Amino acid sequence: MPSQVIYTWTEEFLYHESQSLKLGGSFSSSVLVTSGVPQGSVLGPTLFLLFINDICDIFHGLNIKRKLYADDINLYSCYDVNSSQSDLLVAINRLYNCSCVWQLQIAVEKCFVCTVSNTRHNDGCTGSSYGINNQTFASVESVRDLGVTMDCQLKFDKHIAGTVQKAMNRTSLILKSIHLRDRTLLTKVFITYVRPW
């Protein structure tokens, strides 16, 4: 299929797209969608990749690392407390400018800064504040990334404690619900409902 046909077909798919809200049997008035991709469509994931495919290019020349997972991005920068921290600030500004161009809004309330250090008190590393559009990112002591919680010293104590607590709660619920103390049954229930935590 010629590339012009694919371009035209994709343009028609996205052009004049509208959305409305249904509540009970009533519909709101339609509103034109000016950005983004249709969720739930076959082309949705491919079109989303086109939106963010060149996101890594905007960080060229900066001393930062980035990790992308769907619509989440993590930016990392290593620096000495006496050196400049401007690369991360520049990267955040470039990301914000890119989001404005592509009309992809950044949820600033979900953004945060976690300073990782091997010292007990890493106050010296938090001299710069980071933010977007005059909104400062929250500074946190621990982060949850792809289901794993780690703290500012790269320790997993909080994650382990949370996992153990969930497993204990589930075990307690199972023992209250199942009065039969058959070892084979309880082993299967444990493997199915507790061990995944």
Side-chain angles (χ1 to χ4, degrees):
M1 190 180 297
S3 59
Q4 183 60 37
V5 174
I6 295 173
Y7 176 80
T8 305
W9 186 77
T10 306
E11 183 181 36
E12 288 297 322
F13 177 69
L14 295 173
Y15 196 60
H16 288 306
E17 183 185 353
S18 62
Q19 64 183 13
S20 62
L21 178 69
K22 180 182 178 184
L23 183 60
S26 304
F27 287 88
S28 68
S29 56
S30 294
V31 177
L32 282 176
V33 177
T34 59
S35 66
V37 296
Q39 292 187 4
S41 65
V42 174
L43 279 180
T46 302
L47 294 172
F48 178 75
L49 287 175
L50 291 175
F51 267 114
I52 66 163
N53 196 32
D54 59 348
I55 195 83
C56 292
D57 296 342
I58 66 172
F59 305 121
H60 181 71
L62 298 176
N63 185 24
I64 65 149
K65 304 283 186 215
R66 63 257 170 210
K67 304 287 184 218
L68 297 172
Y69 184 77
D71 61 346
D72 288 338
I73 185 168
N74 293 341
L75 299 177
Y76 305 90
S77 181
C78 296
Y79 58 86
D80 190 304
V81 289
N82 299 318
S83 66
S84 171
Q85 303 171 28
S86 63
D87 276 358
L88 192 53
L89 292 169
V90 171
I92 292 169
N93 286 330
R94 287 184 187 178
L95 181 64
Y96 174 68
N97 292 335
C98 181
S99 73
C100 291
V101 169
W102 286 104
Q103 300 177 15
L104 297 169
Q105 189 174 9
I106 295 175
V108 179
E109 67 278 1
K110 294 181 179 179
C111 298
F112 52 84
V113 176
C114 183
T115 303
V116 177
S117 172
N118 60 357
T119 58
R120 183 133 181 100
H121 301 287
N122 52 20
D123 299 333
C125 300
T126 58
S128 292
S129 63
Y130 300 95
I132 289 177
N133 201 21
N134 296 325
Q135 291 180 277
T136 304
F137 298 155
S139 183
V140 297
E141 293 290 318
S142 63
V143 295
R144 184 175 171 88
D145 190 25
L146 298 179
V148 178
T149 304
M150 67 186 108
D151 66 15
C152 60
Q153 294 182 329
L154 293 182
K155 293 184 180 176
F156 300 93
D157 297 350
K158 191 179 248 186
H159 178 78
I160 293 167
T163 302
V164 168
Q165 187 61 50
K166 287 176 186 176
M168 293 289 285
N169 291 344
R170 187 155 289 198
T171 302
S172 175
L173 182 63
I174 288 169
L175 291 176
K176 287 179 183 176
S177 303
I178 300 175
H179 297 288
L180 184 64
R181 293 297 183 246
D182 178 50
R183 181 180 291 238
T184 306
L185 173 66
L186 289 175
T187 301
K188 286 181 182 177
V189 171
F190 179 83
I191 290 170
T192 305
Y193 295 106
V194 179
R195 190 187 288 174
W197 286 102

